[in-house]
Amino acid sequence: MALDAETLSQLLDTVGRFVDERLRPSEQQVEDDDHVPDALIEEMKQLGLFGLTIPEEYGGLGLDVTEEVQVALVLGRTSPAFRSVFGTNIGIGSQGIVIDGTEEQKQRYLPGMASGDIIGSFCLTEPDSGSDAAALRTTALPNGNGYVLNGTKRYITNAPRADVFTVMARTDPDTPGARGISAFVVDADSPGIRLGKPEKKMGQKGAHVCDVVFDDCKIPGDALIGGVEGQGFKTAMKVLDRGRLHMGAVCVGVARRLIGDSLAYAMERKQFGKPISEFQLIQAMLADSETECAAAEALVVDAARRRAAGEPVVKQAAMAKYFASEMVGRVADRAVQIHGGAGYISDYGVERFYRDVRLFRIYEGTSQIQQLIIAREMIKGAA
Amino acid sequence: MKVLIPIKRVIDANVKVRVRGDGSGVETQNVKMAMNPFCEIAVEEAVRLKEAGLAEELIVISCGVTQCQETLRTGLAMGADRGILVETDAELEPLAVAKLLKAVVDKESPDLIILGKQSVDGDNNQTGQMLAALLGWPQGTFISKIEIKDSGSAITREVDGGLEMLEIKLPAVVTVDLRLNEPRYASLPNIMKAKKKPIETISPDALGVDVAPRVEILEVTEPPSRQAGIKVESVGELVDKLRNEAKVI
């Protein structure tokens, strides 16, 4: 639903206060413990963050994509690990059901996802299939009234905490590529599911990924999302398409944070008798970061507005995610540089963000895949 | 029990306040506004009373410009049931607010009125006391604890040098201090639901209250900026300066 300006601004204010007062003070602790405190997760539930994008009739807020983007900009002001706690519930973990699920699947899963009692997770990537998602090998073969799943899914965000997985698997082994793939909603306590050890990662400590292994995992027939076989790849692409704008907005939010931190540091830190912000080479870095960040924000906001208005935005969404994630990488690099030695020391948190933002160029579609999408859409449009 | 919670829209406590160029007051144009933090504590306490089954209806009320509706919405999102806006563009002094509130109290007959002890803009700390006087009701100011009993209300006040425990009869006016509670964040679903809760708008004229100011502000100035300190060479010099210049030892 489209919120009036006053309600939206109140909502954003509240999320902003929560981010500044509750999340930011715990950033370093989450990094050190590799764990988001349960009390904070409970507060996120109370606040309603898990249900941002789930329709109102299923207990969520039903934000449209322009509103979701505004919230994501605010959430970007703190460590990405916090957003990751509910990130799969508002994105890839729930949207398959929201977009293509049957009414029964929506009734069964969405209210719990909106409240945060059910954690959703998205299983697409495999050991031998990442960017080339259509080459996935996990199978879901008919078994009585249901299916039996076999295969391994890799780097699955929030899998260690997940209650339900959206799983892409091949229902028709004879049809190669995208058309043989179906999407399933699988309860995490189904027999035959095994989780790998949580991976050690470069950054985003506190957010966990691991393998999800299906070993003769039997699931009922009504686990098939939308009730139709062969639609799974399309579902996955629709889910990722909406997620691109959200990720783009998070990148802009993180960049704003880093620019703010860099500016504050540059105005305080004195060298050669004056604040380093008065030196033109520092100013150049600040100006580049500020300008690129504003450009990314404009791309994200414009694409979101177009999408909300019903325009197709495959190219715009890819451009937004591509540019914003690359941008925040450059901004984080400059932030370390402006902070100098302090940027390399953990206490200031800048090096933590430098590591955290590296993932944005990789997950939910690498930069290279975004480039392919953009060019493909250009050629399609010109042909 | 019906509880009335008067709340005020003030400059957000996190904003650095600037004095207007002409010294007539502080700059409020394009400045972020929010609910006065003490008022938030008052709303929170009322919501807790309702959650504990001790209050049935919570009414938030604000006096001032149209935008005070936003502040009322915040109160509604926190859990109040309905709002009243006494709408006026006039600059309101504590006495005017107290009179407006009294007029509303006469109509609504609440059993308890909970206010912030003061607002962080004027720091007057007068409205609650004036309201109690106008109503002829008992008052408990700067409370850090409140318990509702059959006979009335047991309150704990923060006073110089300690805590004072009192019992007051209802209806009463209480003003809350910082340590009473920690206000909740309005949940996002409740913010959206608050939109559907009713806000009634009335004018000071309709209440028959004259809000003309009784006090004239001559000038508002920034506090003097702090002078740079000095470094002393030795403890002896420090002691000498403390004794002979600062005359504190």
Side-chain angles (χ1 to χ4, degrees), chain B residues 62-249:
Chain B
S62 194
C63 305
V65 294
T66 316
Q67 290 85 344
C68 290
Q69 280 204 17
E70 292 167 24
T71 315
L72 290 171
R73 292 277 173 221
T74 306
L76 295 173
M78 287 175 75
D81 299 294
R82 62 187 170 98
I84 298 172
L85 170 62
V86 183
E87 188 174 351
T88 171
D89 290 334
E91 196 73 31
L92 294 176
E93 292 172 357
L95 182 59
V97 175
K99 287 178 180 171
L100 291 171
L101 293 176
K102 174 180 185 298
V104 173
V105 169
D106 288 342
K107 283 172 54 176
E108 295 282 350
S109 339
D111 304 285
L112 180 65
I113 303 171
I114 311 180
L115 305 86
K117 69 167 181 173
Q118 66 196 64
S119 58
V120 296
D121 49 1
D123 273 345
N124 288 309
N125 184 353
Q126 294 173 353
T127 305
Q129 294 89 329
M130 286 175 168
L131 175 61
L134 291 173
L135 287 167
W137 288 9
Q139 61 176 301
T141 50
F142 322 131
I143 65 162
S144 60
K145 194 175 172 199
I146 181 165
E147 264 180 275
I148 304 295
K149 298 179 168 179
D150 292 341
S151 54
S153 165
I155 55 168
T156 302
R157 299 182 65 219
E158 298 199 352
V159 295
D160 286 349
L163 300 173
E164 183 180 48
M165 269 74 100
L166 298 173
E167 280 201 19
I168 53 173
K169 286 209 163 64
L170 298 180
V173 176
V174 296
T175 75
V176 304
D177 213 325
L178 204 58
R179 281 156 289 272
L180 179 62
N181 61 47
E182 204 178 314
R184 71 195 62 197
Y185 296 93
S187 79
L188 307 183
N190 285 345
I191 289 172
M192 290 172 63
K193 284 181 201 138
K195 194 69 199 173
K196 300 186 185 94
K197 293 182 179 175
I199 293 181
E200 177 193 356
T201 302
I202 21 184
S203 70
D205 286 345
L207 294 172
V209 175
D210 166 21
V211 296
R214 288 352 188 220
V215 178
E216 187 190 350
I217 293 176
L218 301 178
E219 194 187 9
V220 176
T221 56
E222 300 260 359
S225 61
R226 199 167 152 227
Q227 302 295 313
I230 52 159
K231 280 185 181 169
V232 292
E233 295 292 329
S234 65
V235 174
E237 189 187 345
L238 174 66
V239 172
D240 177 64
K241 280 186 182 299
L242 287 174
R243 180 165 296 142
N244 300 316
E245 275 181 37
K247 297 188 179 9
V248 291
I249 53 173

Side-chain angles (χ1 to χ4, degrees), chain A residues 1 3-4 6-7 10 13-14 17-18 21-22 46-47 52 61, chain B residues 32 40 69-70 73-74 77 185-189 191-192 195-196:
Chain A
M1 72 174 276
L3 296 176
D4 59 286
E6 187 197 315
T7 308
Q10 202 164 44
D13 273 358
T14 304
R17 262 183 80 183
F18 180 71
E21 294 172 6
R22 305 294 303 144
Q46 296 294 333
L47 198 57
L52 290 173
L61 297 181
Chain B
K32 190 171 173 334
E40 280 191 322
Q69 280 204 17
E70 292 167 24
R73 292 277 173 221
T74 306
Y185 296 93
S187 79
L188 307 183
I191 289 172
M192 290 172 63
K195 194 69 199 173
K196 300 186 185 94

Side-chain angles (χ1 to χ4, degrees), chain A residues 149 163 185-194 214 217-220:
Chain A
L149 286 169
D163 301 291
V185 49
V186 180
D187 292 329
D189 58 5
S190 306
I193 296 185
R194 192 161 47 79
F214 300 96
C217 169
K218 295 189 180 64
I219 55 172

Side-chain angles (χ1 to χ4, degrees), chain A residues 99-135:
Chain A
I99 296 171
D100 280 340
T102 62
E103 185 55 37
E104 196 202 336
Q105 286 163 345
K106 291 179 186 180
Q107 298 280 5
R108 179 160 173 208
Y109 293 106
L110 295 182
M113 285 186 167
S115 65
D117 294 327
I118 296 178
I119 301 298
S121 188
F122 182 75
C123 300
L124 178 63
T125 296
E126 297 182 357
D128 294 318
S129 140
S131 289
D132 184 10

